[in-house]
Amino acid sequence: MEKNYVYGNTARKLNDPARQRRENMPLHLQQRAQAKRRAHRMSFGYLAFLSLAVLTTGIILTWYITLQADITASVKSVSTLEAQLNTLKQDNDEAYNKAISNLDLEEIKRIAIGEYGMTYATEGQIITYSDGGGNDYVRQLAPIPDGN
């Protein structure tokens, strides 16, 4: 009596009922079963469509992530620039207040009258214009006419 030992998990079963049924099956039933198995496989067209869909999805997701990163970088840049603007405004306000506090109007008046020969305007030299009710600046577009 001869004994055959098979080691491992890939050993064939000698008495596989499903295999025996397939071998004993008539030819037309075997063909039908084979067609059924083929129907469950993916065709080349379907595989190409799925590959294209996965590739397109990957490209769109990559583009979206890049766009999100650009937006995040822009927001950070804007916040940095706003912080710089606020710092510059504070520095400007401090310099302006320092300059205003150092002005001596009496000294300016003395220099203007004494050194440059400036005088106060007389009654005939003052012409008042109205810009329609506001205290805005008036832009001169033409020569001012004489008061006569």
Side-chain angles (χ1 to χ4, degrees), residues 63-75:
W63 172 75
Y64 179 75
I65 290 171
T66 305
L67 193 60
Q68 285 291 334
D70 290 345
I71 289 171
T72 303
S74 295
V75 167

Side-chain angles (χ1 to χ4, degrees), residues 79-96:
S79 65
T80 302
L81 291 173
E82 283 178 346
Q84 288 177 354
L85 177 65
N86 288 334
T87 303
L88 290 174
K89 280 184 178 180
Q90 285 179 340
D91 293 345
N92 190 31
D93 289 344
E94 289 173 10
Y96 176 75

Side-chain angles (χ1 to χ4, degrees), residues 13 31 42 78 99 146:
K13 294 182 181 178
Q31 289 173 345
M42 286 190 272
V78 166
D146 290 330

Side-chain angles (χ1 to χ4, degrees), residues 118-128:
M118 298 176 108
T119 60
Y120 284 103
T122 61
E123 188 67 34
Q125 292 178 327
I126 299 173
I127 301 172
T128 305

Side-chain angles (χ1 to χ4, degrees), residues 9-10 17 21 26 29 34 39 41 43 52-54 57 59 66 73 77-78 81 85 90 99 105 114 122 128:
N9 62 354
T10 59
R21 268 184 279 151
L29 291 178
Q34 192 177 17
R41 289 190 210 146
S43 67
L52 184 64
V54 167
T57 303
I59 290 171
T66 305
S77 174
V78 166
L81 291 173
L85 177 65
Q90 285 179 340
L105 295 179
T122 61
T128 305

Side-chain angles (χ1 to χ4, degrees), residues 11 18 24 38 58 67 75 104 124:
N24 295 335
R38 257 190 256 128
L67 193 60
V75 167
D104 184 13

Side-chain angles (χ1 to χ4, degrees), residues 2-71:
E2 183 179 320
K3 292 187 177 181
N4 293 330
Y5 291 100
V6 178
Y7 297 98
N9 62 354
T10 59
R12 287 182 15 185
K13 294 182 181 178
L14 295 178
N15 294 326
D16 184 12
R19 183 169 175 241
Q20 286 177 356
R21 268 184 279 151
R22 277 191 303 243
E23 290 175 356
N24 295 335
M25 194 181 302
L27 184 62
H28 72 282
L29 291 178
Q30 284 181 3
Q31 289 173 345
R32 197 180 284 170
Q34 192 177 17
K36 197 175 193 182
R37 281 192 302 272
R38 257 190 256 128
H40 288 293
R41 289 190 210 146
M42 286 190 272
S43 67
F44 177 75
Y46 186 65
L47 186 64
F49 168 75
L50 284 180
S51 300
L52 184 64
V54 167
L55 181 67
T56 303
T57 303
I59 290 171
I60 290 173
L61 287 176
T62 303
W63 172 75
Y64 179 75
I65 290 171
T66 305
L67 193 60
Q68 285 291 334
D70 290 345
I71 289 171

